Amino acid sequence: MTSASTEALELKAKGNAAIASRDWKTAVDFYTQAIELDPNQALFYSNRAQAHIRMEAYGSAIEDAAKAIEIDPASVKAYYRRAISNVALLKYKEALKDFRTVCKKAPNDKDARLKMNECEKLIRKIDFLKAIEQSDPPSAAEGLDLDSIVVENEYDGVRLEKEMTQEFIDDMIERFKNGKTIHKKYAYQIILKAKEIFYAEPTMPEVTIPDGNKMTICGDTHGQYFDLLEIFRRNGFPAETHAYLFNGDFVDRGSWSTEIAFLLFSYKWLFPNNFYINRGNHETDDMNRVYGFEGECKAKYNERMFKLFSEAFSALPLATLVGSKYLVLHGGLFSDDKVNLDDIRKLNRHLKKQPGQEGLMMEMLWTDPQPDPGRRPSKRGVGQQFGPDVTKSFCERNGLEAIIRSHEVRMGGYEVEHDGRCITVFSAPNYVDTSGNKGAYINVGSDYKLEHNVFDAVEHPPIKAMAYAQNSLMSM
């Protein structure tokens, strides 16, 4: 064995140790160094694919798994990891091929067989839905007569009449903390009213912060209800003088997504001009089917509730312009340098309810920054990455100080990149109960200076993340 091969194995061992300590980025770095020294070891690529999966860099994981298979066609782990990555990208037919290969090569692998069967069922379901799909299906609210729904005398919560009240929200917060739901009549009311408000808003609301007021910008909360309450406990609840902006991905993965959605929607009803919600890539039907929100709606309420939420999600604005200084959007910037704020203003989001695989809406929900200049395909496998030169040009052309985005875990809760022009904020600490990251939120005063705040995850009831996913496909 050469000295280079020996050193490469040592680096692989360090990568494995980083994986064990959940330091995915360091693991990628060690495996990369090992590959540079010895590029013909399938295990190095397969292990790096695992680290990429943990970082949700599914496109990179697929590339590494494919390289591992090229070197060693018998690498069962590589087929498995490529399958998992394709599931995450909603490419179920590609995933099914690899699951079948795993089951053929490792017939006693019960987990792979379970995932293969789940993948087959999901493909049949999607094909069925496509077969019966209507070009303009009726709203799930059609035939829903709220006045005829009786709230039973034994319901022990505060009643909701024609207008949202702080009393109802306070009671709802406690109900959710105690594992209770709200009555389905009130749930329907909240979604329908929020959808009405969202629909009337522009694609990019433009807000100012009056003297003496402040706004808090939060990133992904991903169904982590108790961590959301920790933000409010530390930072203050929404009020007439304290606006909040939630920058997408408030559902999926975490197992209290309905609780977060109802709470945010209720605050939107109470403070329609002082509480803002942008759409994220997880406020979409295809993601909700895999990552738990659809299953949670059905488990806690019913299928109609999910369909109503879907309609409300499709009405959400795609960005918010704060003080003409900060563009806040979930993903990031565009593949075309000609795109400007007026293009966002003119975008009719109501024509296309789901973002698809291309176009401005998809890019606003999916893109990520990169340290290198220029653009390249995203490590996620969807969308693209943009460099500091792209951000600088966009900000200068549009008179912005920075863009504020979310969409990616940051171990410190937030990160300032691209010479201060690109800020990522992520508000789900210890993401999916495994990542060990901090959470963060940003306060903005009337002087439009940014104050970054970091916080730790708090305890929650013993319900695991992804508990309501309809299948086992994303469990590792």
Side-chain angles (χ1 to χ4, degrees), residues 453-465:
N453 298 268
V454 175
F455 68 104
D456 292 312
V458 297
E459 290 187 9
H460 61 69
I463 301 173
K464 293 181 180 180

Side-chain angles (χ1 to χ4, degrees), residues 325-337:
K325 293 177 179 291
Y326 305 106
L327 175 65
V328 185
L329 73 173
H330 183 71
L333 297 179
F334 309 95
S335 57
D336 186 346
D337 281 330

Side-chain angles (χ1 to χ4, degrees), residues 31-259:
Y31 294 135
T32 299
Q33 293 175 54
I35 288 168
E36 288 170 352
L37 289 170
D38 188 353
N40 297 311
Q41 295 296 324
L43 190 58
F44 296 172
Y45 293 97
S46 179
N47 285 9
R48 192 170 67 174
Q50 173 70 351
H52 281 311
I53 288 170
R54 293 298 187 180
M55 294 172 66
E56 300 184 13
Y58 299 114
S60 297
I62 289 170
E63 290 179 6
D64 274 347
K67 183 63 177 179
I69 292 166
E70 177 187 324
I71 296 170
D72 179 11
S75 177
V76 173
K77 286 184 178 180
Y79 284 107
Y80 181 88
R81 288 165 183 167
R82 188 168 67 178
I84 287 291
S85 300
N86 272 313
V87 167
L89 296 176
L90 313 178
K91 297 178 180 179
Y92 305 116
K93 292 182 179 179
E94 289 90 335
L96 181 57
K97 293 176 185 176
D98 283 337
F99 282 135
R100 284 173 172 165
T101 300
V102 173
C103 290
K104 184 177 179 180
K105 293 180 179 292
N108 295 325
D109 189 331
K110 294 181 180 179
D111 177 70
R113 188 161 299 279
L114 175 62
K115 285 179 167 56
M116 180 184 71
N117 293 336
E118 292 286 0
C119 202
E120 289 173 340
K121 286 193 291 186
L122 194 52
I123 289 170
R124 287 197 296 270
K125 178 181 178 181
I126 291 171
D127 288 344
F128 173 75
L129 291 174
K130 285 182 179 178
I132 64 170
E133 187 176 36
Q134 297 172 299
S135 57
D136 191 16
S139 168
E142 188 171 298
L144 181 60
D145 182 3
L146 292 179
D147 292 334
S148 69
I149 300 176
V150 176
V151 179
E152 300 80 4
N153 291 333
E154 56 267 28
Y155 181 72
D156 60 350
V158 168
R159 266 42 179 182
L160 177 63
E161 302 300 334
K162 298 298 182 182
E163 296 296 332
M164 180 55 65
T165 66
Q166 188 65 59
E167 180 188 16
F168 180 87
I169 291 177
D170 291 343
D171 177 73
M172 180 173 62
I173 288 172
E174 293 303 312
R175 292 184 69 80
F176 290 163
K177 284 167 64 176
N178 294 322
K180 297 181 178 181
T181 59
I182 55 175
H183 196 278
K184 67 177 182 180
K185 177 176 182 176
Y186 304 149
Y188 291 145
Q189 269 185 274
I190 291 167
I191 300 173
L192 292 173
K193 184 61 179 181
K195 176 190 171 184
E196 175 188 320
I197 298 170
F198 295 141
Y199 198 92
E201 288 184 314
T203 294
M204 183 182 69
E206 302 181 37
V207 302
T208 57
I209 304 172
D211 289 344
N213 289 15
K214 72 174 180 179
M215 168 179 275
T216 299
I217 301 172
C218 297
D220 304 32
T221 53
H222 272 303
Q224 297 184 197
Y225 176 72
F226 293 87
D227 294 316
L228 170 62
L229 295 186
E230 176 67 2
I231 294 175
F232 290 154
R233 185 192 71 80
R234 292 168 54 94
N235 191 56
F237 284 79
E240 292 288 356
T241 58
H242 187 174
Y244 270 85
L245 166 55
F246 283 84
N247 195 27
D249 279 17
F250 49 91
V251 301
D252 276 342
R253 295 192 182 276
S255 294
W256 292 271
S257 291
T258 56
E259 286 80 359

Side-chain angles (χ1 to χ4, degrees), residues 310-323:
S310 172
E311 294 176 17
F313 291 168
S314 69
L316 285 166
L318 302 179
T320 302
L321 185 62
V322 178

